[in-house]
Amino acid sequence: MARSERLAESLNGALHSLFARHNDLYAVGEDIVDPYGGAFKITKGLSTRYPDRVLATPISENLIVGSAGGLALCGNRVIAEVMFGDFLALGFDQILNFVTKSVSMYGGRNQMRIVVRCPVGGHRGYGPTHSQSLQKHFIGIPHLSLYELTSFHNPEVLFDEAFDRGEPAIVFEPKVLYSQRTHCDGKLDEIFAYRHLEGPGHWVHVYPADDGQRPGAPSLVIVAPGGTAAAAVTAAHVLTGENDLPVHVLIPALLYPLELEPVMEILRGASGICVAEESTSGGTWGTEVARHVHERLWGRLPQPVKLLSSRDSVIPTAPHLERRVLLQPGDIVDGLRALARRRRDAGVSTMLYRNLSPGSGVGSNVISRLGQAAEVPEEVVVPKLNNNDTEYVLLGWLVPDGENVEPDQPIAEVETSKAIEELSATAAGVLRHRADEGVECRPGDVIALLERANGSGAATDAPLEGVTSASTRAPSSASASLGTTTDPGIVALDRAQQLVGQVVTTSRREIPDAFVLRRVRLDALDRMERERDDHDAEPAELLELLIKAIGGLREKFPLCFSSLADACSVRVATSADVGVTFDAGNGLFIPVVREVEYRSLVDIADDLAEFRMRAFRGTFTEENLRAPSIILSWNHDPGVVMVQPVIPPGLACAVSVGGALEEIRLDDSGRPIVGRAAHIGLAYDHRILNGREAVAFLAALAAVLEDHSMVERLMKENHGSGGGPNGVTAVEIETTPRTS
């Protein structure tokens, strides 16, 4: 099956189609003409095909919106591009006082067919002035429609509707979605499906694929527009199986005017509703949704609508700080869990009051005691960690019983059939163990309680009535190492770094490793980049080429793709599954690009783009990290001369690559020239490989990268029929260089 196009490609195609259909359509904006084609290449090719109708402007958003309004006032259709949505604030006056008012302030109704396009949102490390979501500042302006794109919606349909309204519109385009594939077949994965709802608003309903087996069951509902929709779906996956409540996600394309009628039945049957958006709180689209829901469903809502937004802060550039500010999937998970708990607590309260006899004195006595007690403890529930296991093992507690914990602090380790997962505290409080180390637990089991602060601000020390406290025990080595210290010169290592240290220690202790290094010229890659730049093609990336080249060597060097079966034998991999190191500041991850010998560079690049986002967000799944057959340690930073990788226990070897270095060399005529080179290395387990084969492997890899014809061949799309799992034939890697 052919893969769907990326959202950026879908946008570009929509613009080309609109220009072909409407001779009165103009585009205005900064740097939108070829060969640049816009900062995100959305207008690529338009000015070449329609040179008189694609107009580049000076760097002035006020001018861009104003000139677009003038063209629209003369009866034309106009698409105005603001390079970054943050700068739309500079065109606010034109939007508020000119283009929107021109619809009706001249004694009649004018057709103001103008659409302002602007990339918005963070998660890209662009910093405080290029990462904001300003949607809330434009809500409520008369004659102004607001849309937000997602990977579920067709941009051309939205542009057509905006023009047909005859009023100005803003289309917000989350930058983080540009590289993502669009959805087109009604199925997300084996767990969730989706459908487009009839009626205004362009609503998409994401629901559990097995929801038909639970007709009429109450559900948790997340309402999430634009780039937040992907985070909402991720949260829905996490919560699947945690309780008896299915999770549904509602995704609109039209933000304003707000059209809720198509989703009212779904909202009416919800046990909890959460609205998630990336903007800061206060006067948001989410509050508008909550207001309408409360007005229409008051008396039927089991609890108030929960609003989730990003923190009140400028948006940092550093990825780990940006994650602290912007709304994350984990924040949505916490919000939904709070709704589920409130539903359970409401059920308990109802039963309590029903069983108290009025006038007996018992009721008032119990209610009085409840009012004086500490808050209801929060349950620590085992989440569903994968689809393969129905139960796990509580491997150990990272925090002793009775100690205080902070939100997001790791408190326990749970072992599945494939990995060890950490469970973190969802709130601050005193941890009370309810399960011993080594016991089996199932998704949904309560293994601990978090006692919250009472009215005086102190947590209660007494165990809950009817709950036996865990026996006193010495903290494990893991929990002890996380202990606090009063010495300001000592900084505790985070849990992720401790785990990396454990793997490295095991590797160094158990593996008789050796290391070989080779210099490789990057002339072929540089030449290919120049050629592709001349043809305005996608650039040649060393990482994708390197992964593809490594995969092509599997059949010639099978032992390099093997793992120890026992002391006397190895298990040879049947496919090249290349693990690539990623460190985004929140831990070292090694996600795996599968079956690379059968994959095109485009497919490999798609996987790497997804991995980068997962690394920033810390959302890798077990499947992403499972069972590599070889490792690539990627340290291609400027000035890095040599990298000696660590071999993960069990694997035969790990490849490394350093940074690109400039060097002076002689050409064929003896004249000095400047070229680039990098060092590739191979750390290998001497129980499996000897130096001769390690050197030969590196020589073969270098031969591919230094051969222009092979680089050119690898750069071509590789979609022929053949023996690969997706109908893709493996590229045959030649291990002797040919003349470039």
Side-chain angles (χ1 to χ4, degrees), residues 510-521:
E510 297 180 359
I511 299 177
D513 63 326
F515 180 66
V516 61
L517 189 72
R518 182 187 177 100
R519 183 173 131 283
V520 57
R521 291 185 176 183

Side-chain angles (χ1 to χ4, degrees), residues 26-27 48 82 151 181 256 263 265 325 446 452 499 501 538 668:
Y26 289 82
T48 300
V82 174
S151 52
R181 299 282 180 180
Y256 191 85
V263 297
E265 279 304 310
V325 171
V446 177
R452 311 293 293 277
L499 293 175
E538 291 293 324
D668 294 338

Side-chain angles (χ1 to χ4, degrees), residues 154-168:
N154 184 336
E156 187 172 357
V157 172
L158 303 186
F159 286 132
D160 275 334
E161 179 180 281
F163 285 138
D164 290 344
R165 284 176 176 268
E167 297 181 346

Side-chain angles (χ1 to χ4, degrees), residues 703-704 706-711 713 732 734-740:
V704 174
E706 292 180 340
D707 186 338
H708 177 266
S709 61
M710 274 305 303
V711 171
R713 186 178 176 192
E732 180 183 354
E734 300 176 11
T735 56
T736 55
R738 294 182 292 176
T739 303
S740 297

Side-chain angles (χ1 to χ4, degrees), residues 190-220:
E190 67 278 4
I191 299 176
F192 283 95
Y194 71 92
R195 60 192 177 112
H196 291 266
L197 302 179
E198 294 183 359
H202 301 277
W203 288 91
V204 170
H205 177 204
V206 177
Y207 57 93
D210 64 348
D211 205 42
Q213 303 172 17
R214 297 177 283 186
S219 61
L220 295 174

